Amino acid sequence: MEKVVIIGTGCAGLTAAIYTARANLSPLVLTGTLPGGLLTTTSTVENFPGFPEGIDGFELMTRLQKQAERFGARIQYGTVDAVHLGEKPIRLVIDGQSVATETLIIASGAGHRHLDVPGEHELEKKGVTYCATCDGALPMFRNQPVVVVGGGDSACEEATYLTRFASKVFLVHRRDSLRASRIMAERTLANPKIQPVWNSVVTEVLDVATGKVTGVRLKDVVSGAESVLPCTGVFVAIGHVPNTQLFQGVLDMNPAGYLRPVKGTAMNIPGVFTAGDCSDDVYRQAITAAGMGCSAAIDAERYLASLNA
Ligand code: NAP
């Protein structure tokens, strides 16, 4: 039987892995579908303490994984099909295999929010994408106009990154000011290749009939006017939804699906802890996720000690 299973290998999961591994608990760490978490899809991380020049998101996550493995964490590529949290020990089904564990740290992160407009789903990977770092350099976007949707730090980061490849980046936002941090917003709006399109929402991605993105249909939310903006790519950066569907009806969560611990990182079922973006709808930073991962590891360690006291 496992002492600690950690779901997720983002900043929260891998920090929990470092701490529980150093406590000789030999954690089993499950990667899920995106090993390294969302940070692997970002470009340079400029605000993680200790890296004055910034660090590539993928490199940061690779280093965290190496650090966890050095102390005995076992990283397993796989996804959790089912959880039986009511059983003692807790039982998980991982890619069809049953695994029993005394404690579970849920650091399953968050996924990209979708626009839910006609054409978005049909044209995914045919011009609609959720990751500029992953897809921005594709030939279909080079020297072409592209659209980024959103007004937060992610949208600004994506828009700035895309200026390397696209002829023009239209930043479509539903209000007339950015939600992004001041430094990101100022840098974005000062970039001559980025043109904000304020007070506008995408109502359709065109053109499903041709099988590729040729533009977006826009609606001005103030005047109600509709227009078409030609582009070859749509980069959706409108926030995230927590990956907690598996725990619905079993673990406490808020209406948006973020896990709600009862004390510290401890959930409403003994032995279950949570950390990172799946339980944080406020800060959602790499460093806060890492801090939460550390807290969850310490809480799990103390819980295990209390069982043997
Ligand atoms: P976010 O801060 O939640 O921003 C989401 C943006 O999308 C908002 O501007 C929002 O508009 C807009 N939006 C939401 N739903 C929409 C919809 N259905 N249609 C159109 N627009 C919609 O998300 P984020 O930018 O992904 O950032 C998430 C967290 O990660 C934040 O805490 C951010 O600071 C952090 N982050 C940090 C960095 C960095 O520091 N380098 C980089 C990326 C992300 P409204 O503004 O009108 O609500």
Side-chain angles (χ1 to χ4, degrees):
M1 180 169 51
E2 302 292 340
K3 288 198 175 312
V4 182
V5 171
I6 299 169
I7 300 178
T9 46
C11 275
L14 286 177
T15 304
I18 292 168
Y19 273 77
T20 49
R22 290 194 76 247
N24 272 342
L25 296 171
S26 183
L28 176 66
V29 194
L30 305 169
T31 61
T33 51
L34 186 61
L38 275 183
L39 217 60
T40 55
T41 67
T42 200
S43 44
T44 309
V45 182
E46 289 184 334
N47 50 12
F48 201 91
F51 299 95
E53 318 302 333
I55 179 165
D56 177 78
F58 188 83
E59 190 189 341
L60 176 62
M61 299 320 296
T62 306
R63 286 190 190 203
L64 286 185
Q65 179 171 331
K66 275 190 188 154
Q67 195 174 351
E69 286 175 326
R70 182 182 151 208
F71 296 110
R74 291 162 299 136
I75 313 286
Q76 180 174 320
Y77 294 88
T79 47
V80 180
D81 304 322
V83 285
H84 302 279
L85 302 180
E87 297 179 16
K88 280 284 165 268
I90 294 161
R91 196 165 57 84
L92 309 176
V93 182
I94 303 162
D95 289 335
Q97 301 276 340
S98 187
V99 173
T101 180
E102 287 186 78
T103 65
L104 176 67
I105 297 176
I106 302 169
S108 50
H112 297 288
R113 177 175 287 133
H114 292 200
L115 285 167
D116 292 329
V117 298
E120 179 189 24
H121 174 64
E122 295 88 333
L123 294 171
E124 193 173 335
K125 300 202 191 313
K126 294 172 185 162
V128 174
T129 143
Y130 302 85
C131 177
T133 325
C134 320
D135 301 327
L138 291 174
M140 69 177 121
F141 306 127
R142 287 188 183 252
N143 301 312
Q144 300 291 333
V146 299
V147 159
V148 173
V149 190
D153 280 328
S154 297
C156 288
E157 198 172 73
E158 304 264 291
T160 305
Y161 182 76
L162 287 167
T163 57
R164 300 183 195 186
F165 313 105
S167 58
K168 186 98 194 161
V169 180
F170 294 97
L171 182 59
V172 175
H173 184 33
R174 62 185 178 183
R175 295 186 292 121
D176 65 356
S177 66
L178 296 174
R179 170 183 297 279
S181 56
R182 197 157 161 195
I183 184 169
M184 296 277 267
E186 283 177 359
R187 196 185 291 170
T188 305
L189 296 176
N191 191 319
K193 275 180 105 177
I194 299 175
Q195 185 176 321
V197 182
W198 300 120
N199 297 316
S200 297
V201 290
V202 172
T203 55
E204 184 180 357
V205 182
L206 305 168
D207 178 18
V208 174
T210 59
K212 62 180 183 184
V213 171
T214 59
V216 288
R217 198 179 298 283
L218 294 177
K219 184 176 176 188
D220 185 313
V221 293
V222 178
S223 69
E226 290 205 9
S227 59
V228 169
L229 179 60
C231 62
T232 63
V234 180
F235 292 78
V236 182
I238 60 169
H240 301 94
V241 280
N243 294 326
T244 57
Q245 297 82 347
L246 207 55
F247 313 109
Q248 247 162 23
V250 182
L251 293 179
D252 290 348
M253 53 182 78
N254 74 5
Y258 289 90
L259 296 178
R260 282 287 163 262
V262 285
K263 185 167 181 243
T265 65
M267 293 301 304
N268 52 308
I269 291 181
V272 181
F273 305 88
T274 184
D277 282 5
C278 62
S279 48
D280 178 12
D281 56 348
V282 180
Y283 303 106
R284 296 175 294 174
Q285 304 296 307
I287 190 65
T288 51
M292 291 167 85
C294 163
S295 304
I298 292 173
D299 287 344
E301 207 183 317
R302 290 183 181 161
Y303 171 83
L304 285 168
S306 76
L307 291 182
N308 301 321

